[in-house]
Amino acid sequence: MSAEPRYQPYQGPAAGWGALRSVTQHWLDSKQPIKNLRALLKTNQDHGFDCPGCAWGDSPEDHLVKFCENGAKAVNWEATRRGIGREFFARYSVAQLREQSDYWLEHQGRLIEPLRYDTTSDRYVPIAWDDAFTLIADTLRDLESPHQAEFYTSGRASNEAAFLYQLMVRAFGTNNFPDCSNMCHEASGVALGASIGVGKGTVTFADFAHADAIFVFGQNPGTNHPRMLEPLREAVERGASVVCFNPLRERGLERFQHPQHPLEMLGNGSKPTSSAYFRPHLGGDMAAVRGMAKLLLQWEQEAPGSVIDHAFIAEHTDGLRDWIAAVEHTDWAQIERQSGMNRAEIKQAARLYVRAERVIACWAMGITQHRHSVATIQEITNLMLLRGNLGKPGAGLCPVRGHSNVQGDRTMGINERPPASLLDALQRHFAFSVPREVGHNTVEAIAAMQEGRSKVFIGLGGNFAQATPDSPRTHAALQRCRLTVQISTKLNRSHLMHGRQALILPCLGRTDLDLQVGGPQAVTVEDSFSMVHASRGQLAPLSREMRSEPAIIAGIAHALLGPHPVEWLRLIEDYGRIRELIASTIPGFTNFNDRLDQPGGFHLGNAAGSRRWNTVSGRARFVANALPDELLPPQVRSQADTTHLVLQTLRSHDQYNTTLYGLDDRYRGVHGMREVLFINSLDIYRLGFEVGQRVDIVSQWDDGIERRVRGFTLIAYDTPPGQAAAYYPEANPLVPLESVGDGSHTPTSKFIAVRLEPSTAPRHIT
Ligand SMILES: Nc1nc2c(c(=O)[nH]1)N[C@H]1C(S)=C(S)[C@@H](COP(=O)(O)OP(=O)(O)OC[C@H]3O[C@@H](n4cnc5c(=O)[nH]c(N)nc54)[C@H](O)[C@@H]3O)O[C@H]1N2
Ligand SMILES: Nc1nc2c(c(=O)[nH]1)N[C@H]1C(S)=C(S)[C@@H](COP(=O)(O)OP(=O)(O)OC[C@H]3O[C@@H](n4cnc5c(=O)[nH]c(N)nc54)[C@H](O)[C@@H]3O)O[C@H]1N2
Ligand SMILES: [Mo]
């Protein structure tokens, strides 16, 4: 972590020497570098643990060391020798802890014993595990209805933990499963479910080596999926095109220095990771893709049969005619205005697309966190259907997932809108009456707690208080609860914004050895390519008082429900027993235990990837959505004038969501600070400010609530005029709870209308 805040544009490539230096620092900071190095060498290996970082997958055939700079940070952050227990919590009251930064809170170390909030002393004090379970069970049983409790999941939970959790919650009687996915790739699931009948990506790792073009929309892999840079660079090297859409010039999408190629490192060389780089406005991708489609249709008319895959369309799709009408109806003026790209650029992108026989389209949060995200993803899908770029080698759709098991958690039934097939299977197998009511997603859970309709919050991992929008309202919502329970590895703000009663339950992480009655246990996870594989923790836990997530869930379930509908405590003696239940109820997991040790894991299969369409019509659908008339939501149109800016919130290179590893953002040139606003210099001068000046950012919405963050430093940055960026979670207080995606309910974290005011706030101390 650098002490002196400074901004100095970065000249080097992504990864390379800068990454090695940074990894070394994080190793040393963990206080057990040698142990962690040994553990790290087992990351993503057949008998090691799955990297607790992102959900990118690896080649099953490749047995090289598979971790990246940010994976190493994630491992060292979790596998620290620092631990905090009763002495720490005796020293600090909760009020004092609230004064500390998010970075400081997590940096204190691993949580090592169960704790209960004591009102009189305003401190967390030790509690025995069984007493904690009883408190939870009694409070849940006291509710008038099971729907008054919220059961949050963050996407690190293993398949085994997630399956037990959803079984317990449904046996208790609700589908209230707000989860991190609601804030993340929800739009991908909703859009793809309707378009192609499966809410997951259709490609596997192997497809990347066969693609003629890879389109990367709204994603920053250099920081968030660094292992993806290798297939991108390899694609450029063999002459395929890598086409990026991003308002910012992200270094990882430009150049990459391979840390495992000694000659390249010694010569300080690097290779390009993209062949074309387009810079749409925030929220402009749907217009850009529609423009590409318009050109494709025009070229097809000029030379029939040269562009469209008629055979594929006739055999596999419906809805083409309506969609063509929608495309023809959209005029170029609107396309250019909304996309922020001119016609020549859109034409170049369209050419790159038609020139390729096999295309993969990848996307992440730059696409999913908008009001019209579902429509945008369906437009990308339409473009791909037009040329049959689905269900053939080297082609397909690839929503690049975030948390390492967020996709698996959904597969296991963490879903507030569970498919009837899942509920039927549970009911059949476990013979209890499964709740059929639609449950709460994340924003609905916050509203329910704020209004007092929900009274208990349980978090299986994550940092609900900071990851969610409208932070002061969310904090108040949590504080209104009768009981909040956080199952966590590290201290974070969700422990401090607690209910009248509160528990912190310390759990094992991915790197920790999980020893149960039946011996060391493996858990399983699913990556972005639907590959399921085992993960085995390697390091002895810091304390005997930490429990595994399955063990904690089983403890709560047993206290709440007794041995019904399963013998919870017997299940966790050997997780193979949980996997047997998964095999009996979740499609694709037959003989789960036998397939556990298949090298590289096993593929769950993907119907759309095999050109089977589980849609209503049995065909892949061209969905005809209109472009939004205006990107600005109706709630702010009347207030918007020439002083407003659009703000996106994004991740720095030194963070994992709300976990801050440090205060630097190397590739963007920011050091030692996080309260910054990336803004075009034209905007700085136009609005009467100066570079380096500190401003308050005030968000615009129509409900009379003031949403403001203070003292952000202006950084003149290469972002399109009118389009600014700040870090998540510092900017979350600006996101109105009601500003969500149509059909996805995902907070619009990449599109917030704001204005700036000179700041009088003192400088932040971190
Ligand atoms: N090291 C590390 N790894 C992570 C995470 C982490 O925090 N740290 N988080 C994990 C999680 S949960 C997730 S979901 C993923 C997130 O991975 P990303 O989606 O890469 O994360 P963001 O930082 O939100 O970056 C969004 C990118 O989209 C661009 N963008 C924003 N709006 C638009 C738009 O309207 N159009 C286009 N074309 N681009 C846009 C931004 O400029 C930025 O480059 O990463 C996962 N991996
Ligand atoms: N403004 C804005 N908001 C966003 C986003 C954005 O781009 N902009 N991105 C959204 C996205 S994509 C996501 S996925 C969410 C993330 O939301 P969350 O998943 O809720 O947040 P994290 O920061 O990943 O959670 C970190 C905490 O998880 C706990 N933890 C870590 N490892 C483990 C483990 O193995 N087990 C358990 N039980 N706990 C563990 C630690 O205590 C740590 O403090 O945030 C969303 N919020
Ligand atoms: Mo995410």
Side-chain angles (χ1 to χ4, degrees), residues 97-162:
L97 291 173
R98 274 200 203 120
E99 298 298 312
Q100 301 292 343
S101 69
D102 290 348
Y103 172 77
W104 187 92
L105 292 174
E106 280 218 24
H107 195 250
Q108 300 314 303
R110 290 285 296 274
L111 295 158
I112 54 172
E113 62 179 326
L115 301 160
R116 149 185 89 76
Y117 178 67
D118 174 59
T119 320
T120 329
S121 61
D122 187 37
R123 276 171 169 76
Y124 274 102
V125 296
I127 182 173
W129 276 103
D130 281 342
D131 295 339
F133 295 148
T134 308
L135 173 64
I136 299 170
D138 288 348
T139 315
L140 286 174
R141 269 195 300 258
D142 269 357
L143 296 175
E144 290 137 44
S145 143
H147 305 308
Q148 293 179 338
E150 304 294 344
F151 297 88
Y152 179 68
T153 312
S154 164
R156 273 197 201 174
S158 62
N159 288 335
E160 289 73 7

Side-chain angles (χ1 to χ4, degrees), residues 60-261:
E61 283 90 44
D62 181 357
H63 295 285
L64 282 174
V65 177
K66 295 174 222 167
F67 62 88
C68 64
E69 173 192 357
N70 281 350
K73 285 185 204 163
V75 166
N76 282 311
W77 191 254
E78 179 175 299
T80 171
R81 208 175 62 197
R82 281 187 288 270
I84 51 175
R86 60 189 72 192
E87 295 84 23
F88 175 87
F89 288 98
R91 198 167 339 129
Y92 298 102
S93 70
V94 169
Q96 286 168 327
L97 291 173
R98 274 200 203 120
E99 298 298 312
Q100 301 292 343
S101 69
D102 290 348
Y103 172 77
W104 187 92
L105 292 174
E106 280 218 24
H107 195 250
Q108 300 314 303
R110 290 285 296 274
L111 295 158
I112 54 172
E113 62 179 326
L115 301 160
R116 149 185 89 76
Y117 178 67
D118 174 59
T119 320
T120 329
S121 61
D122 187 37
R123 276 171 169 76
Y124 274 102
V125 296
I127 182 173
W129 276 103
D130 281 342
D131 295 339
F133 295 148
T134 308
L135 173 64
I136 299 170
D138 288 348
T139 315
L140 286 174
R141 269 195 300 258
D142 269 357
L143 296 175
E144 290 137 44
S145 143
H147 305 308
Q148 293 179 338
E150 304 294 344
F151 297 88
Y152 179 68
T153 312
S154 164
R156 273 197 201 174
S158 62
N159 288 335
E160 289 73 7
F163 183 83
L164 271 196
Y165 191 57
Q166 64 82 35
L167 186 62
M168 167 183 84
V169 172
R170 296 203 162 101
F172 173 59
T174 183
N175 286 311
N176 281 352
F177 287 108
D179 85 314
C180 72
S181 192
N182 297 142
M183 299 180 272
C184 183
H185 264 293
E186 185 75 52
S188 305
V190 173
L192 297 181
S195 289
I196 60 168
V198 43
K200 301 182 183 180
T202 66
V203 298
T204 64
F205 185 85
D207 285 315
F208 282 81
H210 302 291
D212 306 315
I214 302 167
F215 279 68
V216 183
F217 293 98
Q219 194 196 343
N220 181 21
T223 286
N224 298 313
H225 304 92
R227 283 175 295 135
M228 182 176 170
L229 297 186
E230 200 178 341
L232 292 186
R233 150 187 152 134
E234 187 272 331
V236 174
E237 238 166 19
R238 71 183 156 76
S241 23
V242 174
V243 185
C244 301
F245 285 72
N246 200 312
L248 304 183
R249 283 198 176 286
E250 303 286 28
R251 180 45 47 98
L253 292 172
E254 297 185 320
R255 295 200 78 76
F256 172 55
Q257 184 177 61
H258 202 308
Q260 289 168 19
H261 288 191

Side-chain angles (χ1 to χ4, degrees), residues 300-312:
E300 172 70 18
Q301 242 173 17
E302 289 162 9
S306 65
V307 174
I308 293 183
D309 185 341
H310 292 282
F312 173 83

